[in-house]
Amino acid sequence: MTTTYNCDLLIVGSGVAGLAAAIRAAHDGLNVIVAEKSPHFGGTTALSAGWSWVPGNRKGAAATGDTRAEAEEYLRALAPDSYNAKGVAGFLDTVPEAIDFFENDTDVVFSYPEKAPDYQMDLPGAKLGGRAILPSDADVRMLGDRRKEIQPYLSSYTVFGYMPQVGPDLTQFLHANQSPKSFTYVAAKLLKTWKDIALHGQPIKRTNGSALMVRMVRSALDAGVRVWTGTPVQQLRTAADGSVTGAVLGGKHAGLVNAKLGVVLAGGGFSADDELRQKYFAHDTLGGQHFTPTQGHDGSSARMAMAAGGRINDNVSSVASWAPVTVFKYLRGGAQRLFPHLRQIGLPGMITVDRDGKRFGNEALSYHDFGRQMLDHHANEQDVYAWIIGDKRLMDKYGIGYAKPWPVPRGFFHRIGYLHKGRSIADLAAKIGVDPQGLEQTIERFNRDALAGKDTEFGRGSTAYNHFRGDMEHKPNPNLAPLAKGPFYAAKVQMGDIGTFAGIDVDDRSRVIREDGSRIDGLYSVGAAAVSVFGGGYPGYGSHIGPALVFGYRLGRDILELAGETREVRQR
């Protein structure tokens, strides 16, 4: 006998977008089910740094004098050919109300960094701070017996089990081998983490996106939302007129769902769907050129939308938020692992080169913007890859991504295929298949610039955002230092992402649109599943989470009104 569930609203996916919609709808007394296909809730949000880019939030705007006109000017300049004026207006209209709601009516707590520069500080309307906010740390025990269902950290991104927060916390880790104060700070964090893992089976203190999801899940449960993990939505159910009325569930809560007000697709993008990725990612039309560290972005939301008559909108300046990654292997079993280079490649003493040994862009740009430069540079190449290069001083002081600095032994990183080493520049070039003369010339030029504190080739270290991605204690430029002391090291980087910007086509109220431009009654989409409201632009820290949080909230707030409009149309 098939189990039947009844609710007002069914939400597919338990990331920030889905839970924002669920919490806000439940706040109005609606009966909400969140169906998560993974055994864990939180999705890619729980793996992320947890920032939200939300210009116009009251505290940030008050502290910086930021105005709506400046935010609009910046977003228009960011992606002028795909600027969505109506969508941006809806986003900016809702930001203050949404952030107030989560801070005042839920367990979510934000902090407001003084400095979090927009990614394109050279564009009009850009700001040094006030727009990007952070979740405060959370104790996972607030989830009670469901604490083990939180999405685990991306293991390659932790420091011996602890996930540093971007900002002062990460800065302490960056200098742990250089400062007794930082070493003591880091040691205390690690010892506490190891103790918690031994006693409780997981880190108790959650940071970054994991903290945000712990707080949001707690808020959803307190509001009466049924949050079901291990419950994939297998198929949408539709009426004779094509409207969506519910879904078929599999897994732990297999059965049929009747959703009175409709279904919200918030189950992530499609960068892990081979067919859709090869169709929309120009660099991966044959496969094998893209590696995503995202969680749950398997295209299932997009495919359900298309099966119901919806379409993918790829009218964006960039179809995804690019993130260069290193691909390596577990020692036992040889399973693939990924390390996304989101924070570090702008540090002094580190460069990135192509197979000819030449730099091709400003490494201190955001991972997305540098990734785009990497794709543009390799547009005529079948294989898209580059090499991060550093010397002994760089490795001793900072490491290269997953390969930790002194005093951590390096043999492990060599054995898993992550790190490569050469006695000289020419020796390293030969081992990684890079033109040795080209690499030597590149390093010679870069070293001259680094000593002078000015990158004459690509302007690295020329903006406040560049400096934010460097080492602010390094002089004369936080992003520049020569590579002069052997041995030399390299890590291969290929293309990845942290979410798609192309996605399910929706109107300014998050209603899914058919090929002919009409709306599918009862079907909505928010978060990375839906097309980017920023037209493929990537304005700053939290450019996925900010819109997901705001449009999830807005949809949850408006769902009764939207459903009422649909009923009125049917009755005419």
Side-chain angles (χ1 to χ4, degrees), residues 27 215 221 233 293 335 474:
H27 180 76
R215 292 181 176 277
L221 296 175
V233 176
H474 178 80

Side-chain angles (χ1 to χ4, degrees), residues 2-3 5 10-13 35-38 228 230-238 244 246-257 263-265 298-308:
T2 302
T3 302
Y5 306 99
L10 172 65
I11 295 175
V12 182
E36 168 58 57
K37 57 183 175 279
S38 166
W228 294 343
T231 307
V233 176
Q234 298 177 333
Q235 182 182 345
L236 296 178
R237 300 175 69 198
T238 57
V244 173
V248 179
L249 304 183
K252 294 194 295 186
H253 298 273
L256 305 178
V257 176
V263 176
V264 180
L265 298 174
D298 60 359
S300 54
S301 285
R303 292 195 174 277
M304 282 188 278
M306 290 189 289

Side-chain angles (χ1 to χ4, degrees), residues 363-435:
E363 299 93 338
L365 294 177
S366 74
Y367 42 87
H368 169 69
D369 292 316
F370 184 70
R372 185 159 50 185
Q373 289 187 334
M374 183 171 162
L375 289 175
D376 290 345
H377 183 73
H378 292 86
N380 297 320
E381 301 284 354
Q382 183 173 341
D383 299 321
V384 180
Y385 68 89
W387 294 93
I388 298 173
I389 307 292
D391 68 353
K392 182 180 186 301
R393 287 184 297 191
L394 178 281
M395 276 301 305
D396 286 348
K397 190 171 184 180
Y398 305 116
I400 297 179
Y402 182 59
K404 303 298 185 288
W406 179 90
V408 178
R410 290 173 195 151
F412 168 77
F413 304 111
H414 293 298
R415 290 196 299 274
I416 61 177
Y418 180 94
L419 192 65
H420 304 265
K421 175 183 175 182
R423 296 182 306 276
S424 64
I425 295 172
D427 183 38
L428 178 66
K431 288 181 176 177
I432 62 176
V434 164
D435 176 58

Side-chain angles (χ1 to χ4, degrees), residues 493-511:
V493 287
Q494 295 170 271
M495 192 48 57
D497 71 285
I498 57 172
T500 44
F501 287 147
I504 300 168
D505 203 6
V506 294
D507 66 10
D508 63 306
R509 304 294 293 278
S510 300
R511 295 173 288 199

Side-chain angles (χ1 to χ4, degrees), residues 314-392:
D314 65 338
N315 182 29
V316 289
S317 62
S318 178
V319 296
S321 49
W322 307 123
V325 299
T326 296
V327 183
F328 57 105
K329 302 289 186 181
Y330 278 101
L331 277 181
R332 295 181 180 178
Q336 178 178 281
R337 299 183 74 186
L338 301 177
F339 181 88
H341 292 273
L342 305 183
R343 302 173 181 169
Q344 216 191 15
I345 57 175
L347 285 170
M350 190 180 295
I351 62 172
T352 305
V353 302
D354 62 13
R355 65 203 73 192
D356 295 319
K358 303 295 186 181
R359 291 175 67 215
F360 51 85
N362 178 353
E363 299 93 338
L365 294 177
S366 74
Y367 42 87
H368 169 69
D369 292 316
F370 184 70
R372 185 159 50 185
Q373 289 187 334
M374 183 171 162
L375 289 175
D376 290 345
H377 183 73
H378 292 86
N380 297 320
E381 301 284 354
Q382 183 173 341
D383 299 321
V384 180
Y385 68 89
W387 294 93
I388 298 173
I389 307 292
D391 68 353
K392 182 180 186 301

